[in-house]
Amino acid sequence: MSVRPEPQTAGGRSRSARTTRLSRDSIVNAALTFLDREGWDALTINALASQLGTKGPSLYNHVHSLEDLRRTVRMRVVDDIIEMLNTVGQGRTRDDAVMAMASAYRSYAHHHPGRYSAFTRMPFGGDDPEYSAATKAAAGPVIAVLASYGLEGEDAFYAALEFWSALHGFVLLEMTGVMDDIDTDAVFTDMLLRLASGMERRQP
């Protein structure tokens, strides 16, 4: 007795298996993987649908639009980065916390370049209160560490922006190959020590 094989997609996936897997969460997870492989600009409904072995209209059963998908992806990335920084900073203070959090941030950017691009492209204003609050909350773990230096309020907020600016600039230079002939680990460590020293001098 022969058994008729299930219909397959072009990528060899079972259509029935594909249908049961398709959900908003699975689409967002696929978009995160897509970002790291193809980049932010390449993320479209049709491109993602092709990766999932389906057609664009099928995704619209779970996401309202490309903008809805991109917003959800950005929110996920923000949440992941906040969770990562809180985890590595837990139980640490001052220079130890700065080193651990900055190293984790740098590692995330290198391992997830597409997601990092989504994180750094996000607008901090706009008419989306939930999204604006989430983006501003990304500074929370850093501000918490800066409190161990005696910084609070506006001083801590601006110090966190300076800290992020230094890390983001370093990561971009490193990822674009500008520092290919340099011992980037040594430069990174030296930069962090200088930043930490600056935090000490900013105490009231």
Side-chain angles (χ1 to χ4, degrees):
M1 177 179 174
S2 62
V3 178
R4 179 179 297 177
E6 289 188 72
Q8 301 287 312
T9 66
R13 299 182 182 88
S14 163
R15 288 180 184 169
S16 61
R18 179 204 67 206
T19 302
T20 57
R21 287 201 307 269
L22 203 58
S23 66
R24 187 175 178 88
D25 280 345
S26 68
I27 290 171
V28 172
N29 288 334
L32 291 170
T33 301
F34 181 96
L35 281 178
D36 289 336
R37 187 178 66 248
E38 305 293 341
W40 176 260
D41 292 330
L43 179 61
T44 65
I45 293 295
N46 287 335
L48 185 59
S50 178
Q51 173 178 293
L52 290 167
T54 186
K55 301 293 184 181
S58 297
L59 270 62
Y60 287 116
N61 293 324
H62 307 279
V63 294
H64 302 304
S65 63
L66 177 60
E67 184 56 35
D68 175 37
L69 174 63
R70 288 185 166 183
R71 177 188 181 278
T72 304
V73 165
R74 283 170 163 171
M75 292 283 282
R76 274 282 301 275
V77 171
V78 171
D79 288 344
D80 287 348
I81 288 177
I82 291 175
E83 181 180 0
M84 173 194 69
L85 293 179
N86 278 326
T87 298
V88 299
Q90 188 172 12
R92 300 174 186 268
T93 59
R94 300 171 71 88
D95 295 9
D96 180 40
V98 167
M99 288 290 188
M101 295 174 73
S103 297
Y105 181 93
R106 178 190 181 199
S107 178
Y108 182 93
H110 282 286
H111 285 91
H112 302 292
R115 302 181 204 195
Y116 185 71
S117 177
F119 175 67
T120 55
R121 285 171 181 255
M122 59 190 179
F124 282 82
D127 55 359
D128 186 337
E130 181 186 9
Y131 183 58
S132 296
T135 57
K136 290 176 182 177
V142 178
I143 291 176
V145 166
L146 296 178
S148 66
Y149 287 100
L151 300 177
E152 58 184 22
E154 190 174 85
D155 285 337
F157 179 73
Y158 285 123
L161 286 180
E162 294 165 8
F163 180 73
W164 180 70
S165 297
L167 291 185
H168 179 55
F170 186 93
V171 166
L172 285 185
L173 289 174
E174 194 172 32
M175 292 174 71
T176 53
V178 173
M179 298 190 289
D180 281 352
D181 299 325
I182 298 174
D183 184 350
T184 52
D185 289 340
V187 175
F188 187 70
T189 299
D190 187 58
M191 180 186 75
L192 294 179
L193 290 174
R194 291 175 188 276
L195 284 172
S197 175
M199 302 303 174
E200 292 276 6
R201 292 197 296 271
R202 291 182 67 145
Q203 292 186 52

